[in-house]
Amino acid sequence: RFEAGGYDDAFRYANKAAELGDAGAHFQLSYLYHEGTGVEKDAKKEVYHLEQAAIGGHPTARYNLGANEKNNGRMDRAVKHWIIAAKLGCDASLDAVKVCFRGGLVTKEDFAAALRAHQAAVEATKSPQREAAEEARKE
């Protein structure tokens, strides 16, 4: 429904799922509030839903929180979010941690730990079924 422009329905269903604790729904709501799609733009609600999604284990929400912290001049907090997201398998966060390592904001030990955990998270998601589905999607 979201892709078809049914924003009222998408918002209602995402809200219901978020009330039930669905991290993906919280992430979708953060996007709607960020873009002002079907709702009025609201930065506070956007961040609230990003935080809830991140608490629920959503790696991209955690990455976005890090970006938000960076934009607000709080690099120490941004780095913490990105390390957590990298350990959950978020490629963009691993890239951000790498940049921070090169800039001296992350220790070698923390970078190595994030890299090992990222690799483990990515490996944990691999399966013959997922690889077949990915190949089918490409065709």
Side-chain angles (χ1 to χ4, degrees):
R1 293 191 179 241
F2 184 76
E3 290 81 14
Y7 300 118
D8 290 341
D9 286 343
F11 179 77
R12 189 170 67 250
Y13 292 132
N15 227 4
K16 184 77 127 169
E19 287 172 7
L20 296 171
D22 184 87
H26 278 292
F27 183 72
Q28 281 196 346
L29 287 170
S30 76
Y31 175 80
L32 293 175
Y33 282 115
H34 175 77
E35 294 293 320
T37 306
V39 295
E40 193 171 320
K41 282 188 177 190
D42 189 324
K44 287 184 180 183
K45 288 182 181 179
E46 173 197 357
V47 171
Y48 168 78
H49 287 291
L50 278 177
E51 288 171 345
Q52 294 305 305
I55 289 167
H58 198 287
T60 307
R62 184 68 71 172
Y63 170 79
N64 287 356
L65 282 173
N68 191 18
E69 294 292 357
K70 177 185 178 252
N71 292 339
N72 289 321
R74 296 185 292 259
M75 280 303 292
D76 56 326
R77 293 179 65 151
V79 168
K80 288 176 184 177
H81 284 299
W82 290 332
I83 288 174
I84 293 167
K87 289 179 177 182
L88 294 172
C90 179
D91 294 336
S93 289
L94 184 62
D95 291 341
V97 172
K98 188 185 313 178
V99 169
C100 292
F101 169 67
R102 288 181 182 151
L105 298 173
V106 174
T107 66
K108 184 177 182 178
E109 293 78 22
D110 286 343
F111 178 63
L115 182 59
R116 282 191 303 274
H118 177 272
Q119 290 169 333
V122 169
E123 281 298 313
T125 63
K126 290 185 178 178
S127 72
Q129 294 86 355
R130 285 180 188 230
E131 291 172 13
E134 182 62 26
E135 286 301 317
R137 188 183 68 79
K138 288 179 182 177
E139 294 172 0

